[in-house]
């Protein structure tokens, strides 16, 4: 099994990943998150990000096919 490349950690600041309109609860953002900071409950159509665990790498934003996530 090939080793995964390390994820570059962005500086911790006031920025947070936020959910906008368009989310279809596909779970791709959670699958792309290298630290497991995102939880998606498809059955209840709910989405949670543990901001304290988020390393602000942007993997969830680039992985979202609906462009429903952003950094603010």
């Amino acid at each position: 099994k090939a080793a995964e490349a390390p994820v570059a950690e962005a500086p911790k600041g006031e920025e947070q990943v936020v959910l906008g309109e368009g989310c279809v609860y596909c779970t791709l953002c959670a699958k792309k998150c290298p630290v497991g900071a995102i939880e998606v409950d498809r059955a209840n159509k709910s989405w949670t990000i543990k901001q304290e665990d988020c390393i602000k790498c942007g993997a969830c934003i680039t992985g979202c096919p609906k462009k429903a996530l952003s950094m603010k």
Side-chain angles (χ1 to χ4, degrees), residues 21-41:
E21 298 198 20
C23 178
V24 294
Y25 307 97
C26 68
T27 72
L28 287 175
C29 58
K31 291 175 184 173
K32 296 285 184 180
C33 181
V35 295
I38 299 174
E39 295 177 6
V40 179
D41 183 344

Side-chain angles (χ1 to χ4, degrees), residues 38-55:
I38 299 174
E39 295 177 6
V40 179
D41 183 344
R42 293 184 84 181
N44 293 316
K45 294 188 176 179
S46 66
W47 182 94
T48 306
I49 184 164
K50 297 177 227 160
Q51 296 291 344
E52 66 276 5
D53 294 342
C54 177
I55 59 171

Side-chain angles (χ1 to χ4, degrees), residues 3 10 15 22 33 35 39 56 63 65-66 71-72:
E15 289 187 317
C33 181
V35 295
E39 295 177 6
K56 319 282 190 281
K66 299 295 183 181
M71 190 85 65
K72 299 210 177 185

